[in-house]
Amino acid sequence: MISSNNLINDNSFRRLALLTVVAVFLLILVGGVVRSTGAGMGCPDWPKCFGQWVPPTEIAQLPANYQEIYSHRGYANTEFNVVKTWTEYLNRLLGALIGVLIFCTCIASAIAYWQRDRAIVGYSFLALFLVGFQGWLGAKVVSSVLDTWLITLHMLVAIIIVGVLLYVVARTQITLRVKKERTRSTANNRWLVISSCLLLLQILLGTQVRETVDEVAGRLGELQRFRWVSELDIRFYIHRSFSLIVLASQLLWIIPSIRSLAAESVIKKLATVTGILLVVEILTGVIMAYLAIPAWAQPIHLTLAVVALGMQFVVVLFSFERLLPNRMTDSTSIPREESGSVTTL
């Protein structure tokens, strides 16, 4: 372990970084709830909400002509909805909390790793920059009245933030045990990379389908939800069929990893979790396709896919040695074994 006179040790930093990753996953889930409930314009301005730092809880707290004031945001014929307003506002608060967590991660990385691995510090600050960009992009999404391509870009940036944070965590986790577990099968690693790219493409394609769903929902209304699927364009059918290709490519690396690695292997555990997440994610997709796109399934479907991609990204890092150079060159850097165990993810 590191010297006792350091303020922050490896485990403390790793826990903070993992907490930040979990918060980002939670934000993606909440963002999905915002979209599935149509709460994206619950707050028509940014960073305030109806011109207030604390949103109103009843229509009496708004100006009598609020619909006219925000008519350019689609409020000309829309009544104030307190549930949608507070759903969007809580989404913003969670985003602000993530900003604080990543700022703390940056400071902690500088204290713990400036002398040992400045790449960890650099990537931590990159995550902070991306969160700031994401906040600015969120403001643009609101000002554009939910422009579809901006929503897709917003989702992509969130995935990149997750990837950067997971890289930071994984870079602190290179132990002798993990290095011995690196997959040596070229074919297995090839499918690992290919399936990761296909899954990312499927997620981005799913955001396009989500935008189509929003358009159909706005046109037909909630009472005709049973017609939504039949009104979707070809992107939905491509997304649905492509899921079989994604699943097949995933199985080509998951099954060999589970069969060939020891039960206590970190990679084997991650492969197992990834497989379970993908199966459940596909099941939620089937539910949406055949049960009129229930609102509860939409955010779960997206979040499971992003979490699975995150788990797979960690496996990629552990499987290709050049992606995570072994920074632990001295005895103070390598976690010591106690009772035959080594600290792992």
Side-chain angles (χ1 to χ4, degrees):
M1 301 298 290
I2 63 174
S3 173
S4 59
N5 57 8
N6 280 334
L7 295 177
I8 300 175
N9 61 29
D10 286 355
N11 286 334
S12 297
F13 175 79
R14 192 176 300 119
R15 282 193 290 268
L16 175 60
L18 281 173
L19 175 62
T20 306
V21 172
V22 172
V24 175
F25 284 142
L26 181 59
L27 180 61
I28 292 173
L29 176 63
V30 173
V33 172
V34 168
R35 292 201 67 185
S36 65
T37 57
M41 292 304 295
C43 291
D45 46 353
W46 194 94
K48 294 182 179 182
C49 185
F50 287 104
Q52 305 174 33
W53 288 111
V54 178
T57 56
E58 55 186 27
I59 194 171
Q61 297 173 330
L62 292 172
N65 63 337
Y66 78 93
Q67 289 176 299
E68 178 183 347
I69 295 174
Y70 297 105
S71 60
H72 63 295
R73 302 291 175 83
Y75 265 80
N77 300 303
T78 303
E79 290 288 341
F80 167 74
N81 186 308
V82 65
V83 174
K84 291 183 178 181
T85 293
W86 276 88
T87 299
E88 166 60 14
Y89 189 68
L90 291 175
N91 178 48
R92 296 183 184 184
L93 289 180
L94 182 56
L97 175 61
I98 289 173
V100 173
L101 286 173
I102 292 186
F103 178 77
C104 293
T105 300
C106 289
I107 300 301
S109 70
I111 295 173
Y113 294 103
W114 184 256
Q115 299 298 328
R116 294 188 292 150
D117 192 346
R118 292 186 183 178
I120 292 178
V121 182
Y123 281 104
S124 296
F125 275 88
L126 174 60
L128 180 63
F129 168 80
L130 288 173
V131 167
F133 176 73
Q134 183 78 325
W136 173 83
L137 193 58
K140 290 298 182 182
V141 170
V142 173
S143 64
S144 69
V145 194
L146 309 181
D147 195 314
T148 54
W149 76 269
L150 283 176
I151 293 175
T152 299
L153 180 60
H154 198 57
M155 182 73 250
L156 179 59
V157 173
I159 293 173
I160 294 174
I161 292 172
V162 169
V164 172
L165 289 171
L166 286 175
Y167 179 82
V168 168
V169 174
R171 195 175 174 98
T172 69
Q173 187 61 42
I174 295 301
T175 66
L176 294 178
R177 179 179 182 181
V178 170
K179 287 182 72 62
K180 290 178 182 178
E181 293 176 1
R182 292 189 192 277
T183 304
R184 297 303 179 184
S185 170
T186 302
N188 196 55
N189 285 347
R190 183 185 302 117
W191 279 113
L192 176 59
V193 174
I194 291 174
S195 62
S196 298
C197 295
L198 291 177
L199 180 56
L200 175 59
L201 178 60
Q202 177 73 333
I203 291 173
L204 296 179
L205 181 58
T207 63
Q208 296 295 310
V209 174
R210 175 68 239 182
E211 291 159 9
T212 306
V213 171
D214 290 345
E215 294 171 3
V216 172
R219 187 173 73 250
L220 298 181
E222 185 68 28
L223 294 179
Q224 297 192 64
R225 179 182 283 268
F226 65 93
R227 290 182 53 196
W228 288 5
V229 173
S230 63
E231 294 293 322
L232 298 178
D233 60 25
I234 192 172
R235 287 175 290 182
F236 165 74
Y237 299 99
I238 294 175
H239 180 67
R240 185 177 65 179
S241 301
F242 194 59
S243 64
L244 298 177
I245 298 176
V246 172
L247 179 61
S249 68
Q250 294 287 338
L251 294 178
L252 287 173
W253 75 268
I254 290 175
I255 293 177
S257 297
I258 294 176
R259 286 180 174 177
S260 63
L261 296 173
E264 66 275 11
S265 164
V266 175
I267 293 178
K268 180 173 184 174
K269 292 176 181 177
L270 289 172
T272 303
V273 171
T274 301
I276 294 172
L277 288 173
L278 287 172
V279 169
V280 178
E281 190 265 345
I282 290 175
L283 287 176
T284 58
V286 172
I287 289 172
M288 288 194 294
Y290 293 97
L291 296 179
I293 316 180
W296 63 266
Q298 294 171 320
I300 294 176
H301 183 70
L302 172 63
T303 305
L304 288 176
V306 176
V307 174
L309 181 63
M311 297 299 98
Q312 191 169 347
F313 178 62
V314 175
V315 176
V316 170
L317 294 176
F318 284 163
S319 298
F320 292 88
E321 188 167 355
R322 63 182 177 272
L323 296 179
L324 284 176
N326 185 16
R327 65 176 175 81
M328 299 177 179
T329 56
D330 57 78
S331 59
T332 62
S333 297
I334 301 176
R336 295 182 179 178
E337 296 191 21
E338 296 180 6
S339 304
S341 63
V342 181
T343 304
T344 59
L345 279 173

